[in-house]
Amino acid sequence: TSGSTAFPKGALRNHRSLIGIAHYLIDEALHISEVDRLLSYFPFYHIAGCVYLVLGAHLKGSTLYLMEAFEPEEALRLVDQEKITFLGGFETHFNLLINHPHFRKYDVTSARKVLLATGPEWYDRVREAGMGSEVLAHHYGFTEGTGVVVPHEEKDYAKRKYTNGKPFPGIEVKIVDPETGSKKAPGEAGEICLRGWTLFQGYYKMPEETRRSMDEEGFFHTGDYGWFDEEGFLYYRGRYKMMIKTGGENVSEKEVEVVLEEHRDIKAVQVVGVPDPLWGEAVTAVIEVKPGKILHKEDLVNFCRGKLAGFKIPKNVVFIQAHEWPVTPTGKIIKADLKKLAAERLGIKEIAAPKT
């Protein structure tokens, strides 16, 4: 596992599940064929590097270009020079690519197929940058379940931008109340749980961790927050460990990030909760501003009014530089480290115990 919210754990996977996921994503969702040219900057231990790209390219006979590490300008050069047709990545990857000072120097329009492991705001940003003209889809998955839903090509713009697709054939996904375990109805948010052939065989040499992650019906409890709509499309909106408890209310960090990422002067943003004597936790936005732009806390508060409930609007804003983002080797933001950084910048010395 990536270790973005907890200490990394080894996850045992069988051959069938990995090949099956590569088939559904590469073949049926992304329509990759032998003429495609894929670029990978993920390490092989990561599920994206192993399954989506290495196995996917072998299944279809595609050309696969491998980078030893993610370096944004080198990736842009390869897309241009080698006419790469497929890219995938997290917010960190697309942020560093699209906002690179030399971005316009390179032709990236060959990257017609893009898989986003990002928030919905990147759907438009990637298209505006000239990529994803043929296939542009959001993906939801995790190491223990690899892929859960098939990204889709719905004609409805809102469905393409804001949802993650429908479960793979043979996969069961349910939404439950994380406290009681009771099943939620369509439109009601809760914890995303998975059962079926994509599921892992357990954590390596951690039987108790494995047991605690499953319920009596054999569903794996992801710790992820989301819901289904009436048509069966899944909406993933972050981790329960990434929920802020402020003034007795729960706030999804991802929900606030989605709103702030629409601001034209923000290059990158993450939201965390920091200890607060009045609210318990205060919603705090950590922001990297685009070069040449100046932002103030009041600008962001005004921007959020009418888009978020009052208790969800950030009470603190911390501005940082590009090199200060704490990330895993795969490019995911390490929220625990970011929370510590934000607290230090705000002069808060004691960090509350992490939520479990």
Side-chain angles (χ1 to χ4, degrees), residues 1-3 8-11 13 42-51 54 143 327-332:
T1 62
S2 68
K9 297 185 285 290
R13 303 304 314 265
F42 294 97
F44 288 164
Y45 79 82
H46 190 265
I47 212 74
C50 170
V51 178
V54 174
T143 305
V327 296
T328 68
T330 59
K332 287 184 179 180

Side-chain angles (χ1 to χ4, degrees), residues 177-218:
D177 184 310
E179 299 296 329
T180 66
S182 60
K183 194 171 180 180
K184 295 282 191 175
E188 294 181 342
E191 183 181 13
I192 301 170
C193 302
L194 165 74
R195 180 172 70 182
W197 59 266
T198 65
L199 200 58
F200 73 149
Q201 280 65 61
Y203 293 115
Y204 181 63
K205 293 185 177 180
M206 300 177 77
E208 283 302 308
E209 285 280 344
T210 303
R211 184 187 60 78
R212 284 196 297 268
S213 71
M214 313 289 287
D215 65 23
E216 293 178 353
E217 296 179 322

Side-chain angles (χ1 to χ4, degrees), residues 54-206:
V54 174
L55 287 180
H58 278 72
L59 279 177
K60 303 306 297 183
S62 310
T63 302
L64 177 62
Y65 291 82
L66 299 171
M67 296 180 67
E68 289 189 11
F70 177 69
E71 198 289 309
E73 186 159 16
E74 177 62 7
L76 291 169
R77 186 191 69 78
L78 285 169
V79 172
D80 185 350
Q81 179 178 303
E82 305 298 338
K83 301 306 173 192
I84 299 297
T85 63
F86 171 82
L87 283 178
F90 299 107
E91 285 100 336
T92 307
H93 298 117
F94 288 108
N95 182 35
L96 291 172
L97 290 171
I98 293 173
N99 290 303
H100 194 279
H102 298 154
F103 177 73
R104 293 298 171 192
K105 205 173 111 178
Y106 301 96
D107 180 4
V108 297
T109 56
S110 63
R112 301 183 303 274
K113 302 174 182 181
V114 174
L115 187 61
L116 301 169
T118 68
E121 72 287 344
W122 283 100
Y123 188 91
D124 292 326
R125 291 186 185 183
V126 167
R127 277 273 165 88
E128 289 165 3
M131 298 181 285
S133 60
E134 188 176 327
V135 178
L136 181 60
H138 289 290
H139 177 55
Y140 167 63
F142 42 88
T143 305
E144 295 92 341
T146 314
V148 177
V149 290
V150 179
H152 52 85
E153 299 170 63
E154 288 289 305
K155 293 182 179 180
D156 183 275
Y157 169 79
K159 292 287 187 187
R160 295 198 311 270
K161 180 176 179 179
Y162 291 103
T163 81
N164 298 90
K166 294 183 176 181
F168 288 132
I171 296 301
E172 297 175 78
V173 178
K174 67 178 180 178
I175 309 295
V176 303
D177 184 310
E179 299 296 329
T180 66
S182 60
K183 194 171 180 180
K184 295 282 191 175
E188 294 181 342
E191 183 181 13
I192 301 170
C193 302
L194 165 74
R195 180 172 70 182
W197 59 266
T198 65
L199 200 58
F200 73 149
Q201 280 65 61
Y203 293 115
Y204 181 63
K205 293 185 177 180
M206 300 177 77

